[in-house]
Amino acid sequence: MAVSLDIHAEPGALVLDGAERADIERLVERLSDVPPRLVDHPTWLAAARDRSCRLPARVLEELRRFRSDPGPSGCLRIAGLPVRPQGPTPVEAGSVERNATASATLLALCVLQLGEIIAFRQEKAGALLQNVVPVPGQEFEQSNAGSQPLQMHVENVHLDHRPDFVSLLCLRNDHDDRAGLRVASIRQALPLVGPEHRRVLAEPRFRSTPPPSFAAGRDPVHPVLSGAAEDPDVRVDFANTHPLDSGAATAMAELRRAVEAVQTDLVLGAGDLVVVDNRVTLHGRSAFVPRYDGRDRWLQRAFVHIDHRRTRGLRTGDGNVLS
């Protein structure tokens, strides 16, 4: 059972004051007008990268600390960012944001202090900023378009060059203000997994298939835990990762129990930004009931790589989209 947690009341959240919000709002207004006013355009991205250095000092400090070490939870929470209503929640499948709207500009400003924004050509047509909204007819899909519980996962588990960070900016929550971003860190779950199961999880005895949001993709065999034994990275999607033998199935079930024991639901409101370290923290979603009336839950999402150079051969023209 997840523990419900209102992000606004959580001691670990950085809550911005009025002066900080005003400073950020001025940055957003000026950057939104930079030609060609498209968040995917290299000229606009270069301007956003430069101007991100002018964010308030507390925001810069928090982002830099998190980039260095995501801490026990693997999550960064910033509350009180200046987000205003900007029309109805989209309802179409594969919804993205290519225009430099206020919210898209705000998200880009923040995450460019963590690294470079990236996307994948086979997911949402390679758009750098994506809408996470409920889509009619897809309520039960294990994807960002669903509204039933989304199983815990690291983003794009089937890819070798997965995002280092997944960022989510809330424009509005669901009508009942109950939907939660569910998070669980392997740093907190690992002590609940026995040594033998850890050994199995560190072996290539698991296969992952692409999520529904991907047009196509490979299904690699890989370990679930990698790196330092005492502080490993995790690579699992409980909807799309499949154990290849009975021992692997038992170890994965043990890991699932550990993750469920430490997972937390973060209830987001407009202006709340959460950054998840995709190397150490799984995320998912609790259920909610969409009405498709233009006022449903609406998050905007961006992926970040710390080391842009390592994917140069996968990015045409040194752009931001991986093929």
Side-chain angles (χ1 to χ4, degrees):
M1 179 69 69
V3 179
S4 182
L5 178 65
D6 186 335
I7 193 171
H8 298 287
E10 188 187 5
L14 171 62
V15 182
L16 303 184
D17 61 31
E20 290 167 328
R21 287 193 296 272
D23 287 345
I24 293 173
E25 198 159 20
R26 283 190 288 271
L27 274 175
V28 167
E29 288 174 357
R30 292 167 185 164
L31 180 57
S32 295
D33 286 336
V34 171
R37 301 187 179 92
L38 297 172
V39 296
D40 295 82
H41 196 280
T43 300
W44 190 91
L45 272 179
R49 189 180 300 108
D50 290 344
R51 297 183 190 204
S52 71
C53 300
R54 305 175 195 172
L55 287 166
R58 286 203 307 155
V59 176
L60 292 173
E61 289 166 2
E62 204 70 23
L63 289 166
R64 187 61 185 86
R65 283 194 205 103
F66 184 75
R67 186 180 188 274
S68 175
D69 188 333
S73 71
C75 283
L76 170 65
R77 300 168 291 277
I78 300 177
L81 289 162
V83 168
R84 298 175 180 175
Q86 53 182 45
T89 300
V91 294
E92 64 270 21
S95 176
V96 301
E97 186 55 78
R98 296 188 185 275
N99 295 314
T101 62
S103 59
T105 300
L106 172 60
L107 180 54
L109 277 169
C110 291
V111 301
L112 281 167
Q113 280 296 307
L114 294 170
E116 295 300 321
I117 302 174
I118 57 98
F120 302 92
R121 197 166 305 282
Q122 292 178 319
E123 183 177 41
K124 296 201 174 189
L128 296 189
L129 269 68
Q130 307 164 4
N131 292 316
V132 176
V133 295
V135 175
Q138 298 186 20
E139 290 83 358
F140 291 91
E141 281 203 7
Q142 284 294 305
S143 75
N144 59 73
S147 49
Q148 291 302 299
L150 179 63
Q151 294 195 52
M152 298 297 282
H153 64 285
V154 298
E155 197 69 29
N156 297 337
V157 68
H158 66 295
L159 297 177
D160 291 333
H161 297 291
R162 299 175 299 286
D164 293 321
F165 300 118
V166 176
S167 61
L168 294 162
L169 175 65
C170 183
L171 279 63
R172 58 172 61 105
N173 202 15
D174 67 296
H175 293 81
D176 301 317
D177 203 28
R178 294 176 61 184
L181 171 65
R182 189 160 286 170
V183 293
S185 167
I186 190 62
R187 287 177 161 180
Q188 296 170 328
L190 192 65
L192 305 180
V193 179
E196 178 59 23
H197 291 136
R198 291 191 205 181
R199 182 190 65 77
V200 173
L201 291 166
E203 297 174 349
R205 295 164 66 174
F206 307 85
R207 184 185 299 276
S208 290
T209 56
S213 59
F214 260 72
R218 51 193 288 267
D219 53 345
V221 173
H222 61 86
V224 165
L225 301 180
S226 62
E230 73 280 6
D231 185 18
D233 290 353
V234 62
R235 182 180 182 180
V236 69
D237 181 332
F238 289 118
N240 296 318
T241 299
H242 310 286
L244 298 180
D245 57 72
S246 61
T250 300
M252 188 166 160
E254 180 80 356
L255 177 64
R256 183 194 283 266
R257 285 191 289 271
V259 166
E260 290 174 349
V262 302
Q263 69 189 23
T264 299
D265 285 0
L266 304 178
V267 179
L268 309 183
D272 291 338
L273 171 67
V274 174
V275 183
V276 176
D277 189 316
N278 198 47
R279 300 163 298 182
V280 301
T281 296
L282 294 81
H283 66 282
R285 179 193 61 238
S286 64
F288 65 100
V289 180
R291 301 180 188 175
Y292 306 119
D293 60 355
R295 302 292 302 173
D296 280 321
R297 184 176 188 252
W298 185 1
L299 309 180
Q300 287 187 328
R301 178 178 75 178
F303 301 146
V304 176
H305 271 169
I306 292 178
D307 181 2
H308 206 38
R309 181 69 184 172
R310 67 186 163 105
T311 61
R312 178 63 185 87
L314 303 176
R315 295 180 286 104
T316 302
D318 200 19
N320 292 70
V321 181
L322 280 69
S323 299

